[in-house]
Amino acid sequence: MIRPDAPLLLDICDLHASVEDQPILKGVNLSIRAGEIHAVMGRNGSGKSTLSKVLAGHPAYTVTAGSVNYRGADLLELDPEQRARIGLFLGFQYPVEIPGVSNLEFLRVATNSRRAERGDEELDTFAFEDLVHERLKVVQMDPAFLGRSVNEGFSGGEKKRNEILQMALLEPLVAILDETDSGLDIDALRIVADGVNQLAGPENATLLITHYQRLLDLITPDYVHVMAAGRILRTGGKELALELERTGYDWVDLELARLEPETVEVA
Amino acid sequence: MSTATVGDLVSQPYKHGFVTDIETEKIAKGLSEDVVRLISSKKDEPDFLLQFRLRAYRQWLQTAEPDWAALGYPPIDYQNIIYYAAPKQQEKKASLDEVDPKLLETFDKLGIPLSEQKRLSNVAVDAVFDSVSIATTYKEKLAEHGVIFCSISEAVKEHPELIEAYLGTVVPSNDNYFAALNSAVFSDGSFVFIPKGVECPMELSTYFRINSADTGQFERTLIVAEEGASVSYLEGCTAPMFDTNQLHAAVVELVVLDDASIKYSTVQNWYAGDENGVGGIYNFVTKRGQCRGARSRISWTQVETGSAITWKYPSCVLQGADSVGEFYSVALTNNHQQADTGTKMIHVGPRTRSTIVSKGISAGHSSNSYRGLVQIGPKALGAKNYSQCDSMLIGDQAAANTYPYIRSQQPDAVVEHEASTCRISADQLFYLQSRGIGFEEAVSMMVSGFCRDVFNQLPMEFAAEADKLLALKLEGSVG
Ligand SMILES: Nc1ncnc2c1ncn2[C@@H]1O[C@H](COP(=O)(O)OP(=O)(O)O)[C@@H](O)[C@H]1O
Ligand SMILES: [Mg+2]
């Protein structure tokens, strides 16, 4: 939902970042207001996951220029845990397995760290069980998953649902979902999309990273951005995604060739 | 926040490194037959014990220091060590009120309050400072149940027949180099005797504190559980930070008769040396339990976090039919620490069973080896062993090794061994952090998760303590 007067949650300005001295992001600009749903699309390797990890504060990525403002604060100054506590959430493209750490305990500690930041009281194991069982319904997940180690032995779809469960518990203000749809069968896709739609509200915003129109059939974006070679090449409404579906990314190569003739080969 | 930072994180300053300023009686450095006689006479020992020591000393002279462990350290100069040091107070005190307040304060500071009002409820403590036991709590209450819990020196005086009957019967003085050395010069330690049919009404615990530099600590512990008796015993230890190495060579012997059980837990936190590997305790320990009776049970649980060098293989000799041996171990090494630790399960009797769960965590430049032997004798019909050895690496400079030896002379025995190695990855840490969990807590969550199977075996009072200790070792500046 676009409301020009809605508060600005995330403001990314000319963001440059590299990994192992290799520049990946080359000037990303993106503003997100409360209530909005944004989709970022683009070919593999265009820098979408890098953008999401830089925003979440992954230590492997170095910001070389630009700024990110999150609700008036300099996001890039903060540790990853602090970013999470103040309401930034990243749903990972590839959630890692953490053997030996109980999923339930992990979810409880995570939830409580966010609650503490908001001034809410800590939930003990009993109170948390009630909350988590209620939120499990959002993703139609079997409570048996709570008793296992974090993501250990989960199927691809189960991992993604566990991500959305975490989002449901942490109640972020800005949720970045990195290819949460990939690897899901149609039923799982619907469950995940329903979950995201339930959690989206006028106070928060969602940034969906995806390759596929099929997710955007279920979650209607307010804005669609096309990313290529570490920057956002074009921004439009939901019809831009449909156009991409029809025409593919060839025009992106042409546009890039115009911008950076030295780095792009045109077939 | 790459692995280098994880490295910083595990380099937490040692919190027990203070020295108590107290007048100490020490004998001259060096070891000889005269020194052995001197120690024995200082303790006013009966002749059988002097003879035991002298025999051990001669055996030690004829034994070579073991060199098969994956440990590297400069030669130890045995003539440059003090073999007896005791805080100056005339006699062992009848009441705690007479114990030097400095000593009480020391144990208070270590979290082991000995004075009446502050005592740990339901845990009796024997406090050993350098070479002597300074106090044992709850002795009278235990005596009402027929349980003997006192320092081994007192036991030699008050129950010589028990000492003579059991000392050296599980770990003979010629068992190995360090056991021979200990048998010759041991100064104090704990003695526990649980009579037939008695379930010890409280946890027993001995806390060892090395205080003097240049002093070796050679304690001797003997625990006997008669038919149907049971006890849970915990040992803790710390030392000041010196930039020299102190030798610690203990012997622990356990004897369990029919249907009896001993649960022996250790939280070892000797000083480990600094981040460059300077200083720290050399810990060469022989621990062995004998399940003499049918259906008897011995369970070793150890949490090893300290010492520059650890050489330690708490073992079970399963003689009685249907007897059970267990070994649960967490060994954490950091900086330049080296640990070569594991167990021996010797199956002698029929249907004997053993379980081994070993968790090694190596950080910094440390080296952490599991070395275990499962031996099944020809009469051990239907014997079973299950072993699980897991290693966790933190950073990329640390080493982990597993040396499982299996010798079976019993074709129908079942021996299972599982092993795994994992590494705390930057991506795992980032995942936890990105959910609002601080870096240190994230590391500690992963480490505690890894150790859970072992921590679950610790007596309840100490499980939280062990968790805290690991967290402490893993706490530090995040940068
Ligand atoms: N940790 C990393 N180390 C080295 N290269 C990386 C790393 N992360 C991303 N890259 C590189 O950055 C580019 C963008 O990757 P990524 O952000 O994952 O793209 P997308 O998510 O759009 O497929 C790719 O060329 C990829 O190989
Ligand atoms: Mg990606």
Side-chain angles (χ1 to χ4, degrees):
Chain A
M1 177 211 321
I2 300 175
R3 289 173 297 153
D5 58 336
L8 193 58
L9 294 180
L10 191 70
D11 194 13
I12 305 169
C13 255
D14 194 33
L15 185 64
H16 288 68
S18 22
V19 58
E20 286 164 9
D21 295 327
Q22 179 78 29
I24 310 284
L25 299 185
K26 298 171 185 163
V28 175
N29 291 291
L30 181 60
S31 298
I32 299 181
R33 288 180 188 276
E36 296 173 351
I37 296 178
H38 291 242
V40 171
M41 306 185 78
R43 282 201 164 127
N44 273 333
S46 57
K48 305 182 297 295
S49 291
T50 301
L51 174 63
S52 69
K53 287 185 188 172
V54 168
L55 293 175
H58 194 292
Y61 300 84
T62 314
V63 173
T64 50
S67 68
V68 181
N69 194 292
Y70 174 86
R71 303 179 74 215
D74 181 357
L75 186 73
L76 302 176
E77 281 292 298
L78 306 175
D79 284 337
E81 56 268 34
Q82 195 53 30
R83 300 182 195 195
R85 290 172 193 159
I86 60 175
L88 185 82
F89 179 84
L90 169 58
F92 286 86
Q93 181 173 7
Y94 303 109
V96 289
E97 303 193 359
I98 310 184
V101 175
S102 131
N103 201 29
L104 181 66
E105 184 60 12
F106 157 68
L107 294 171
R108 191 174 76 87
V109 174
T111 304
N112 277 328
S113 66
R114 170 96 173 101
R115 288 177 67 87
E117 186 69 30
R118 294 205 286 186
D120 296 336
E121 92 282 13
E122 185 176 322
L123 298 177
D124 63 18
T125 38
F126 301 107
F128 182 69
E129 290 244 7
D130 293 345
L131 177 69
V132 78
H133 279 94
E134 177 205 311
R135 300 294 153 93
L136 275 172
K137 292 184 197 133
V138 174
V139 280
Q140 300 177 29
M141 228 167 116
D142 186 331
F145 286 103
L146 300 174
R148 296 177 41 185
S149 292
V150 178
N151 295 329
E152 193 181 31
F154 288 25
S155 72
E158 288 158 357
K159 283 182 181 162
K160 295 297 174 71
R161 281 205 242 174
N162 204 33
E163 295 293 290
I164 303 301
L165 173 64
Q166 292 167 44
M167 176 175 156
L169 286 165
L170 296 176
E171 300 174 359
L173 293 172
V174 174
I176 305 163
L177 301 177
D178 189 3
E179 300 211 26
T180 300
D181 54 334
S182 60
L184 296 187
D185 61 33
I186 190 70
D187 293 329
L189 182 70
R190 192 152 279 146
I191 290 166
V192 164
D194 278 353
V196 172
N197 284 327
Q198 282 177 56
L199 299 169
E203 307 300 325
N204 58 28
T206 310
L207 177 63
L208 298 169
I209 294 174
T210 182
H211 275 302
Y212 304 108
Q213 177 57 36
R214 59 175 202 163
L215 180 68
L216 304 182
D217 289 338
L218 299 171
I219 306 172
T220 312
D222 299 303
Y223 295 98
V224 172
H225 311 275
V226 179
M227 201 158 171
R231 59 165 79 94
I232 287 173
L233 270 195
R234 209 201 288 183
T235 294
K238 61 176 191 270
E239 57 306 324
L240 178 56
L242 293 165
E243 182 190 327
L244 276 173
E245 174 105 322
R246 264 196 327 274
T247 62
Y249 287 97
D250 286 348
W251 64 268
V252 170
D253 295 336
L254 291 169
E255 181 129 356
L256 269 184
R258 192 171 56 74
L259 285 167
E260 284 179 31
E262 71 284 5
T263 56
V264 178
E265 284 176 42
V266 182
Chain B
M1 242 155 290
S2 59
T3 46
T5 323
V6 184
D8 299 344
L9 190 64
V10 292
S11 314
Q12 175 69 6
Y14 186 64
K15 304 224 160 140
H16 311 285
F18 63 92
V19 184
T20 306
D21 179 17
I22 192 162
E23 244 192 299
T24 306
E25 179 201 352
K26 291 178 183 174
I27 63 172
K29 280 184 179 173
L31 185 52
S32 63
E33 200 167 302
D34 286 344
V35 168
V36 175
R37 286 179 188 279
L38 181 62
I39 293 170
S40 188
S41 78
K42 277 198 173 299
K43 304 177 83 67
D44 204 10
E45 288 175 348
D47 189 56
F48 82 84
L49 201 49
L50 174 62
Q51 296 312 320
F52 176 86
R53 288 178 182 278
L54 290 172
R55 192 168 56 237
Y57 175 65
R58 288 172 204 134
Q59 285 162 338
W60 179 71
L61 288 177
Q62 281 157 24
T63 316
E65 198 171 326
D67 60 0
W68 41 260
L71 301 170
Y73 53 95
I76 298 169
D77 180 358
Y78 291 89
Q79 297 306 332
N80 196 31
I81 293 171
I82 295 170
Y83 288 86
Y84 184 86
K88 265 193 189 150
Q89 52 174 26
Q90 301 73 26
E91 277 291 289
K92 172 128 187 194
K93 301 302 174 188
S95 127
L96 272 168
D97 306 337
E98 300 168 52
V99 173
D100 190 325
K102 268 191 190 159
L103 292 174
L104 296 180
E105 211 176 276
T106 301
F107 283 92
D108 254 4
K109 219 162 143 183
L110 296 167
I112 315 292
L114 299 173
S115 55
E116 214 61 69
Q117 324 81 293
K118 288 191 267 170
R119 278 179 192 180
L120 304 168
S121 63
N122 216 38
V123 183
V125 179
D126 185 22
V128 178
F129 189 90
D130 282 339
S131 303
V132 297
S133 161
I134 59 155
T136 310
T137 63
Y138 290 120
K139 269 170 80 169
E140 298 75 22
K141 185 170 169 197
L142 290 166
E144 286 166 24
H145 297 261
V147 172
I148 303 171
F149 179 40
C150 61
S151 74
I152 203 141
S153 313
E154 276 173 274
V156 167
K157 291 208 173 73
E158 285 161 35
H159 312 281
E161 69 299 340
L162 289 174
I163 299 296
E164 193 165 8
Y166 288 106
L167 190 77
T169 62
V170 181
V171 179
S173 55
N174 63 351
D175 186 80
N176 67 70
Y177 186 80
F178 297 106
L181 178 64
N182 175 285
S183 301
V185 303
F186 73 89
S187 41
D188 222 336
S190 297
F191 175 68
V192 177
F193 180 82
I194 317 287
K196 200 168 168 171
V198 172
E199 188 184 321
C200 188
M202 54 175 76
E203 302 271 347
L204 304 184
S205 166
T206 302
Y207 196 92
F208 295 99
R209 174 71 177 172
I210 293 179
N211 191 59
S212 314
D214 312 326
T215 303
Q217 185 151 351
F218 307 93
E219 83 262 357
R220 186 95 192 184
T221 298
L222 174 60
I223 303 180
V224 179
E226 285 194 331
E227 290 85 351
S230 66
V231 64
S232 167
Y233 176 92
L234 182 113
E235 167 201 285
C237 35
T238 57
M241 297 191 272
F242 294 120
D243 54 12
T244 53
N245 300 105
Q246 282 85 46
L247 178 62
H248 172 256
V251 170
V252 175
E253 297 178 281
L254 311 182
V255 177
V256 282
L257 306 184
D258 286 358
D259 301 294
S261 75
I262 296 176
K263 182 173 175 59
Y264 191 110
S265 315
T266 306
V267 175
Q268 189 264 108
N269 189 19
W270 295 122
Y271 178 53
D274 70 8
E275 66 279 12
N276 300 313
V278 176
I281 302 287
Y282 286 175
N283 195 30
F284 296 93
V285 173
T286 306
K287 288 185 165 170
R288 191 173 307 152
Q290 223 169 34
C291 284
R292 286 192 193 166
R295 298 166 303 278
S296 58
R297 173 188 285 261
I298 287 177
S299 178
W300 298 103
T301 303
Q302 60 171 21
V303 178
E304 301 282 308
T305 65
S307 297
I309 303 274
T310 301
W311 180 96
K312 182 178 173 191
Y313 316 90
S315 304
C316 298
V317 182
L318 304 170
Q319 282 170 346
D322 301 289
S323 59
V324 175
E326 296 172 320
F327 175 74
Y328 298 97
S329 170
V330 166
L332 176 121
T333 55
N334 188 16
N335 296 321
H336 293 268
Q337 280 178 276
Q338 303 175 57
D340 193 296
T341 183
T343 183
K344 287 192 272 187
M345 292 292 174
I346 314 293
H347 292 254
V348 180
R351 298 174 307 278
T352 45
R353 282 170 290 143
S354 63
T355 303
I356 299 172
V357 177
S358 161
K359 306 277 178 175
I361 303 161
S362 349
H365 292 80
S366 71
S367 140
N368 200 327
S369 303
Y370 167 81
R371 188 181 303 277
L373 169 67
V374 176
Q375 185 169 318
I376 316 263
K379 292 189 195 138
L381 272 162
K384 276 189 191 155
N385 162 266
Y386 171 73
S387 304
Q388 185 190 332
C389 300
D390 300 323
S391 309
M392 175 182 265
L393 294 165
I394 299 180
D396 50 12
Q397 307 287 318
N401 295 296
T402 333
Y403 305 98
Y405 305 96
I406 297 167
R407 285 189 216 129
S408 180
Q409 295 168 278
Q410 184 43 255
D412 71 329
V414 180
V415 179
E416 284 177 70
H417 179 88
E418 288 178 32
S420 75
T421 302
C422 64
R423 194 180 283 280
I424 292 190
S425 74
D427 280 330
Q428 287 171 319
L429 286 171
F430 178 63
Y431 188 81
L432 295 175
Q433 282 180 282
S434 74
R435 298 305 181 243
I437 300 169
F439 186 70
E440 292 169 10
E441 192 176 1
V443 173
S444 133
M445 257 175 127
M446 292 184 62
V447 169
S448 329
F450 178 73
C451 300
R452 182 161 310 128
D453 293 350
V454 174
F455 285 172
N456 284 345
Q457 298 296 326
L458 284 172
M460 225 196 344
E461 292 87 337
F462 301 106
E465 208 170 299
D467 215 357
K468 248 192 281 169
L469 177 62
L470 282 206
L472 203 90
K473 290 254 159 181
L474 295 169
E475 189 178 84
S477 58
V478 181

